[in-house]
Amino acid sequence: MTAMPTNVAEPELRDWLTATTGEHIANDYDAATQLLATFDFKAKDSSSLNNQHQIASCLAPAPTTWPEPFIPLSAEAAAQHLLEAFRITRKPANYATIFVDLPTPVIVSRHQCPFCRRFTRADVRQVNDHMTRCWQNPGLRCCKTCIHHQDGSHPEDDESCTHPTGPEWEEYRFPVLHCPLWETAHPETFVAQEGEIKERR
Ligand SMILES: [Zn+2]
């Protein structure tokens, strides 16, 4: 029979924080990671258990007015904040051996280009960078999004520009970017606004 773990009291938590993270919480996410290796956190106002974001937000520096520097939370204040929000118990002493060979599900975020929907990366900066070059970005005024573009899928026709004053087929090189003759192939999706093409969906 397993005994119910008793709730951790404030002096115990404060001393543990002081010994582990020091007098002040320098990094709220690192501290939450360390806390989660030793304790279980059950939210008092919801059913959430061991939510690292929630724990880290209890440890965030005290708000100050710019340009005052952030004041890191003391271990004592951190213990108070945590105990206001959570019922905290110690993990069983043999926790590491109990869970060591269980697969752990992880949820990851990726970012997708809204234009082509093909380019995805974990790093949003790479997607932002791609979007400036994506042929499906209407702001680039490229053949791929132009109503005058004929793709090469028809067996008797080569890829070409069908605009009357566009380049002849032997001069045409795909893709033309920032084309003055460009007109959207999807007028229902995009609307011209202040000289720019904006996404409407
Ligand atoms: Zn794209």
Side-chain angles (χ1 to χ4, degrees):
M1 188 180 145
T2 326
M4 276 290 285
T6 51
N7 287 351
V8 173
E10 196 175 314
E12 183 186 353
L13 190 60
R14 181 200 60 213
D15 291 349
W16 186 92
L17 281 164
T18 308
T20 310
T21 66
E23 290 288 330
H24 291 90
I25 309 293
N27 182 313
D28 43 359
Y29 265 84
D30 286 352
T33 305
Q34 289 172 301
L35 281 160
L36 278 169
T38 303
F39 303 100
D40 282 316
F41 292 78
K42 182 170 180 335
K44 287 183 176 173
D45 61 356
S46 72
S47 59
S48 96
L49 179 69
N50 292 341
N51 180 321
Q52 185 170 7
H53 299 280
Q54 242 179 330
I55 296 164
S57 69
C58 280
L59 304 173
T64 53
T65 38
W66 192 85
E68 297 296 319
F70 282 117
I71 303 163
L73 213 58
S74 68
E76 184 165 14
Q80 285 170 12
H81 290 195
L82 289 168
L83 283 163
E84 274 164 29
F86 303 98
R87 283 183 218 299
I88 306 173
T89 52
R90 272 190 185 268
K91 288 196 196 303
N94 58 345
Y95 169 74
T97 55
I98 296 171
F99 292 103
V100 72
D101 54 0
L102 291 179
T104 309
V106 289
I107 298 169
V108 295
S109 298
R110 290 180 72 80
H111 297 87
Q112 183 186 52
C113 171
F115 303 122
C116 65
R117 304 264 177 201
R118 288 186 166 200
F119 187 92
T120 70
R121 291 291 182 276
D123 186 348
V124 69
R125 290 168 301 183
Q126 290 187 30
V127 178
N128 277 326
D129 185 52
H130 158 86
M131 282 164 62
T132 64
R133 288 176 280 109
C134 180
W135 286 348
Q136 300 292 349
N137 177 354
L140 210 56
R141 303 172 77 87
C142 161
C143 299
K144 278 278 185 195
T145 55
C146 179
I147 197 164
H148 304 299
H149 179 238
Q150 178 177 279
D151 67 23
S153 60
H154 194 276
E156 285 152 39
D157 292 312
D158 289 326
E159 190 159 38
S160 60
C161 179
T162 62
H163 193 283
T165 59
E168 297 296 336
W169 69 268
E170 67 271 21
E171 292 164 8
Y172 176 78
R173 295 284 178 277
F174 176 86
V176 182
L177 304 179
H178 304 291
C179 179
L181 303 175
W182 181 91
E183 283 180 74
T184 179
H186 303 283
E188 73 288 354
T189 314
F190 300 102
V191 59
Q193 210 174 57
E194 294 162 354
E196 274 190 351
I197 305 300
K198 296 245 168 99
E199 205 173 357
R200 193 194 252 169
R201 67 178 111 115

